[in-house]
Amino acid sequence: VEREAVLSQEKPMIAAVYLNRMRMRMRLEADPTVQYALGYWKKGLSLNDLRFPSPYNTYINYGLPPGPICNFGVESFVAAMLPARTDAVYFVADNTGAHIFSVTHDEHLKAKRSFKRGLKAIKERLKREQLEGGRQP
């Protein structure tokens, strides 16, 4: 929860998603556990990263990792003890620091496509701004 949440108000939802996944015997598939296993933090994990052999990799192992991946704060602790009430089992970033939470896999795939479109638009805008900024009047 600590490493996944950017916004404090989302911590109870993220905690609920992980608890729902464990209750359903799903893998947690938490990117921060893979980053910890790799030994460094990076955005945009590759498929090879997600297959990295480690007991901390929750993409290949069920349940919680064998130990903590960071020091958690009070808000994350409270979120884990008092998670949100939701049936969501998926979440994806929304390009603002927040997340989109989904109950079904189809909803999640739609949210991921939306994230990728938004990311592409941001990259195109930055590229356009770079080109315009480099022009001489």
Side-chain angles (χ1 to χ4, degrees):
V1 173
E2 184 71 30
R3 290 294 302 170
E4 196 73 69
V6 174
L7 304 174
S8 294
Q9 64 265 28
E10 288 190 338
K11 289 181 178 186
M13 278 295 287
I14 290 170
V17 167
Y18 288 141
L19 290 167
N20 289 343
R21 287 180 184 177
M22 287 194 309
R23 191 173 18 267
M24 296 171 71
R25 304 233 187 266
M26 291 174 65
R27 289 186 184 96
L28 295 180
E29 296 185 351
D31 289 0
T33 64
V34 176
Q35 294 162 328
Y36 181 84
L38 292 172
Y40 59 97
W41 303 100
K42 71 182 244 189
K43 285 190 173 222
L45 294 171
S46 70
L47 289 176
N48 276 344
D49 294 335
L50 299 180
R51 294 184 192 114
F52 185 76
S54 168
Y56 284 87
N57 184 345
T58 57
Y59 275 83
I60 60 175
N61 300 297
Y62 286 91
L64 294 170
I69 62 167
C70 68
N71 292 324
F72 57 86
V74 172
E75 288 177 337
S76 294
F77 177 79
V78 170
M81 295 296 103
L82 299 170
R85 287 183 169 213
T86 181
D87 292 328
V89 288
Y90 303 100
F91 61 91
V92 64
D94 75 351
N95 294 310
T96 69
H99 293 87
I100 300 168
F101 297 88
S102 305
V103 174
T104 69
H105 193 252
D106 286 341
E107 289 173 356
H108 178 61
L109 293 176
K110 182 178 176 184
K112 282 176 70 172
R113 285 191 298 272
S114 176
F115 167 76
K116 288 180 181 178
R117 277 193 306 274
L119 196 57
K120 183 178 179 184
I122 290 168
K123 287 179 181 178
E124 288 172 358
R125 188 190 83 232
L126 290 173
K127 187 175 180 181
R128 207 172 35 253
E129 289 174 359
Q130 264 185 333
L131 291 173
E132 290 171 1
R135 292 188 185 149
Q136 295 294 323

